[in-house]
Amino acid sequence: MTSAEATAHYFKKAARIMDVGERIETLLASPLREVKVQVSIELDNGEIRTFNGYRVQHDNARGPMKGGLRYHPLVDADEVLSLASLMTWKTAVVNLPFGGAKGGITVDPTGLSTKELERLTRKFVDQIQDIIGPTRDIPAPDVNTNPQVMAWIMDQYSKYHGHSPAVVTGKPIDLYGSRGREAATGRGLLYIAREIARDVGLPVKGTRFAIQGFGNVGSHAARLIHEDGGIIVAVSDVNGGVRNPKGLDVPALFDHARKSGSVKGFQGGNPCGNEELLTCDCDVLVPAALGNVITKSVAAEVRAKIVIEGANAPCTPEADEVFEKKGVLVVPDILANAGGVTVSYFEWVQNLQHVTWDEDRVNTELEKLMREAYDRVANISRTRKLPLRTSAYVLAIGRVGKATVLRGI
Ligand code: GLU
């Protein structure tokens, strides 16, 4: 199954249970627009290199489309389409006035200099500036993109359209970014973990978490869960991982990662490979790196009782079935990692109103929206006896479907 087929599978499963009808199902299943561009730049050595860039706009029934921009060698049209549709459902689950989109460039950014990255980003904006905008489609950070990349996007877009901070979110605080945005996905995940903990009677304090990925999502999740009393028994990043069944010293781990650029080689535990991390002895597994890492065979070996999807689509549908059979509770990406886009929404609101919120306000509002979303999803799950993922899709499809019908076909 390709990535796009996997998200279509979840969508169809929920749509059939809801009986939305063929007409609405057809409307919601296909993307509004798929754009592919060739981004040619001059490298520092004078060579010309061309990269593929994508922006897929999936649905705008509930508002301007919203979604990140990923720089990774595995980015392709299928993956971006899948991620764009996930954004439609994610923004609907948290009830944000947005639709869904996603973009990316097929590139290994670690092989480019800062100047080359800047040229690549600006050139990409040149090619998509007429289809994005504060009321059309608002990009944001995703894998390997950061506040600096967002600043370049804002600057380049503004050259065409005038000063437009609301065209992109996840900007640096000093350039119209929102307080709390950087940690928002990890913080949202913590809020969801607390809700789950209450429901299953396993408080975060004293629970053993294994976290795959130490980027924007995984690192903040590890820090915040640790601050909440959770025990982090394993973490990993692209270079390797580290494990300690008694719990890692998280502040010391951050120190090590800051100095060496990786969690690998941290002395407060034993080295641990990525697969070993996914199947290690823990209570809660948080895959917060790339998609499709938990396949059917990995799922069969997973020992955690709860999986919270920090990344987008980390479990394949086959793995999801294995978890269902094993009675593993899976908190789906479109709920678990919605904290990022939620604070992106707050950033957009602040930009449009020319105001700045303090961090407490951001975090309080984030907690409120995450809890509301969790309550709704958990309620559907309880009353209709459905897994959390299907329940989240039922909630989202209901909202997007209603907006679609009300606007008129
Ligand atoms: N890339 C993030 C996601 O997948 C954030 C998107 C946004 O803030 O628009 O949810």
Side-chain angles (χ1 to χ4, degrees):
M1 223 184 267
T2 68
S3 300
E5 281 166 0
T7 40
H9 163 85
Y10 294 134
F11 164 73
K12 272 200 197 116
K13 189 171 161 194
R16 301 277 150 88
I17 289 170
M18 297 167 75
D19 203 11
V20 290
E22 210 180 299
R23 285 160 53 88
I24 297 298
E25 198 179 311
T26 309
L27 275 173
L28 300 185
S30 42
L32 279 185
R33 186 189 259 152
E34 294 173 273
V35 172
K36 179 182 178 195
V37 294
Q38 313 288 325
V39 195
S40 298
I41 58 158
E42 187 180 359
L43 300 182
D44 294 345
N45 65 7
E47 228 178 86
I48 301 290
R49 278 270 296 279
T50 301
F51 302 88
N52 288 334
Y54 302 89
R55 188 74 185 168
V56 174
Q57 300 177 326
H58 181 257
D59 193 278
N60 65 356
R62 290 171 43 84
M65 293 166 283
K66 187 86 193 80
L69 197 59
R70 168 177 294 209
Y71 288 177
H72 194 273
L74 295 179
V75 164
D76 63 17
D78 179 83
E79 185 194 57
V80 179
L81 168 59
S82 151
L83 295 167
S85 70
L86 280 181
M87 288 310 300
T88 298
W89 313 126
K90 192 186 298 184
T91 52
V93 165
V94 247
N95 211 6
L96 307 178
F98 286 140
K102 199 80 171 200
I105 301 180
T106 316
V107 59
D108 176 4
T110 58
L112 296 184
S113 70
T114 308
K115 279 282 158 213
E116 289 167 338
L117 259 185
E118 177 175 350
R119 284 199 286 277
L120 182 68
T121 304
R122 289 187 187 276
K123 204 68 184 285
F124 182 55
V125 174
D126 288 341
Q127 282 160 295
I128 61 163
Q129 53 79 21
D130 52 344
I131 60 158
I132 60 172
T135 61
R136 285 169 187 263
D137 177 1
I138 305 134
D142 197 82
V143 175
N144 292 337
T145 54
N146 57 26
Q148 175 61 73
V149 173
M150 302 305 121
W152 292 326
I153 295 175
M154 179 199 128
D155 183 69
Q156 194 66 11
Y157 179 87
S158 295
K159 286 179 184 163
Y160 291 90
H161 301 275
H163 180 63
S164 315
V167 65
V168 65
T169 58
K171 299 179 292 295
I173 305 267
D174 291 322
L175 197 73
Y176 303 96
S178 176
R179 296 205 157 72
R181 174 63 185 87
E182 190 105 26
T185 314
R187 183 172 290 280
L189 195 142
L190 167 73
Y191 294 150
I192 293 293
R194 283 188 191 157
E195 296 301 299
I196 290 283
R198 215 198 34 225
D199 271 6
V200 304
L202 192 76
V204 171
K205 191 166 191 284
T207 291
R208 297 166 311 148
F209 289 78
I211 302 180
Q212 187 199 34
F214 207 66
N216 176 262
V217 184
S219 67
H220 288 289
R223 178 176 62 81
L224 293 164
I225 288 169
H226 169 75
E227 281 169 18
D228 228 37
I231 300 168
I232 310 293
V233 292
V235 292
S236 69
D237 60 27
V238 276
N239 300 306
V242 58
R243 231 183 116 174
N244 184 341
K246 293 201 189 90
L248 293 160
D249 178 345
V250 173
L253 175 71
F254 267 81
D255 247 17
H256 171 84
R258 204 172 303 122
K259 284 184 198 131
S260 71
S262 170
V263 296
K264 189 181 169 192
F266 177 57
Q267 292 303 306
N270 295 322
C272 152
N274 255 304
E275 179 134 351
E276 195 184 339
L277 179 138
L278 296 171
T279 57
C280 78
D281 187 17
C282 63
D283 303 306
V284 181
L285 174 63
V286 181
L290 289 173
N292 298 323
V293 291
I294 305 186
T295 56
K296 188 176 173 180
S297 56
V298 174
E301 303 298 322
V302 165
R303 281 189 270 176
K305 297 180 268 307
I306 300 171
V307 174
I308 306 183
E309 294 186 333
N312 288 315
C315 304
T316 65
E318 293 86 358
D320 209 49
E321 266 168 41
V322 173
F323 285 142
E324 211 179 317
K325 284 200 191 105
K326 279 176 47 168
V328 174
L329 186 66
V330 180
V331 190
D333 44 11
I334 57 173
L335 171 64
N337 72 31
V341 72
T342 301
V343 176
S344 273
Y345 163 58
F346 300 155
E347 181 172 329
W348 181 74
V349 167
Q350 292 169 72
N351 293 159
L352 293 178
Q353 298 182 349
H354 309 281
V355 296
T356 309
W357 295 5
D358 61 33
E359 193 168 341
D360 278 351
R361 176 162 180 199
V362 169
N363 293 344
T364 308
E365 299 278 339
L366 171 64
E367 182 167 14
K368 190 169 149 248
L369 292 195
M370 295 301 290
R371 286 174 76 155
E372 268 171 27
Y374 176 79
D375 281 350
R376 291 281 189 131
V377 172
N379 193 32
I380 295 172
S381 167
R382 256 190 313 272
T383 52
R384 302 184 72 162
K385 306 225 170 335
L386 296 170
L388 288 175
R389 189 187 311 277
T390 315
S391 308
Y393 273 82
V394 166
L395 176 63
I397 294 169
R399 285 176 169 161
V400 180
K402 247 179 233 154
T404 306
V405 171
L406 285 168
R407 291 181 78 134
I409 291 158

